[in-house]
Amino acid sequence: MGKGGQQAVAVSQNSNVWKSPYNPKAKNAPELPTKGQIKAAIPAECFNRSYFWSLFYTARGLAMGAGFVYATSQVLSTDMPNALEDPAQLAGWVLGWSLYAFWMGTIMTGPWVIAHECGHGAFSDSQDFNDLVGFILHQALLVPYYAWQYTHAKHHRRTNHLEDGESHVPPTKEDNGLGENYERNTFYAAWHEAMGDGAFAAFQIWSHLFLGW
């Protein structure tokens, strides 16, 4: 595998839990660049904030959403067809609104991300203006801006901290239903083992995207 690790995968004697062969504290581990070195390698113009372009992308995203709403209103009715009278029409109605939900969600991700950047101070040089735009966009998307800004900042300060993390906290083995020797103590853990890592990861992606976080 080269400098910093061997090809063999380290496995616990009492389980089949995968462990990375890379040890950042090993003497022969490759030296990773610091945050400062990575930032210094990025061209300076990438850090310039523009009122014009930020507002342009905001207006473009909102215009796309408004245009899609209008176009959909011309071809789809909000009245559900009678399934007994015309099953085919009902199927088309369900398909049409499902496609609308998918594409409208995709379009409105743009304004949401712009509001996210407002919370990070990347929209403009004025944080007051950032908060104004972020508040309007997030409130329109039913996201409480200032509460989100506070918890999101904490999330970035303590990312993946098992106790202080606000979100995206990695679960412990107890959370995953594993015992001291990694025995499967819950249905969830047994299901994971039966499906295998790859299939279970695919199921988690599906459940997150289709059923909800």
Side-chain angles (χ1 to χ4, degrees):
M1 189 170 180
K3 192 175 182 182
Q6 298 178 351
Q7 189 75 25
V9 175
V11 178
S12 170
Q13 294 180 351
N14 298 323
S15 71
N16 292 323
V17 176
W18 179 86
K19 293 184 179 179
S20 172
Y22 174 72
N23 180 6
K25 297 182 179 180
K27 293 182 179 180
N28 63 338
E31 183 177 352
L32 300 178
T34 64
K35 291 181 181 178
Q37 290 172 329
I38 294 175
K39 185 175 180 179
I42 300 174
E45 59 267 23
C46 293
F47 296 97
N48 293 336
R49 291 169 289 193
S50 168
Y51 283 92
F52 173 81
W53 286 111
S54 294
L55 290 172
F56 170 78
Y57 289 127
T58 302
R60 185 183 70 173
L62 295 176
M64 290 174 64
F68 193 51
V69 168
Y70 176 77
T72 302
S73 70
Q74 301 303 301
V75 295
L76 285 176
S77 170
T78 55
D79 297 326
M80 180 184 294
N82 190 309
L84 297 178
E85 294 180 359
D86 194 341
Q89 186 179 11
L90 176 63
W93 185 87
V94 171
L95 177 61
W97 281 112
S98 297
L99 290 173
Y100 168 82
F102 175 84
W103 287 111
M104 180 55 77
T106 302
I107 292 171
M108 296 312 293
T109 298
W112 189 95
V113 170
I114 289 175
H116 170 274
E117 296 310 308
C118 288
H120 280 292
F123 188 84
S124 73
D125 291 329
S126 169
Q127 189 55 42
D128 289 337
F129 188 68
N130 294 342
D131 289 338
L132 174 64
V133 175
F135 177 80
I136 294 172
L137 291 177
H138 262 186
Q139 293 303 114
L141 295 170
L142 305 181
V143 179
Y145 176 74
Y146 289 105
W148 164 84
Q149 188 182 47
Y150 171 79
T151 57
H152 192 64
K154 183 179 179 182
H155 152 66
H156 277 285
R157 286 195 304 269
R158 308 295 285 171
T159 301
N160 289 343
H161 194 284
L162 285 173
E163 296 177 352
D164 297 337
E166 188 67 31
S167 64
H168 303 83
V169 178
T172 63
K173 70 177 188 294
E174 289 78 13
D175 294 332
N176 284 325
L178 302 176
E180 288 299 320
N181 296 315
Y182 294 95
E183 63 273 13
R184 313 290 181 172
N185 293 330
T186 66
F187 173 76
Y188 185 78
W191 190 13
H192 182 174
E193 184 176 33
M195 293 182 70
D197 289 339
F200 190 75
F203 166 75
Q204 287 184 309
I205 293 173
W206 177 85
S207 61
H208 169 77
L209 294 176
F210 289 89
L211 300 180
W213 198 331

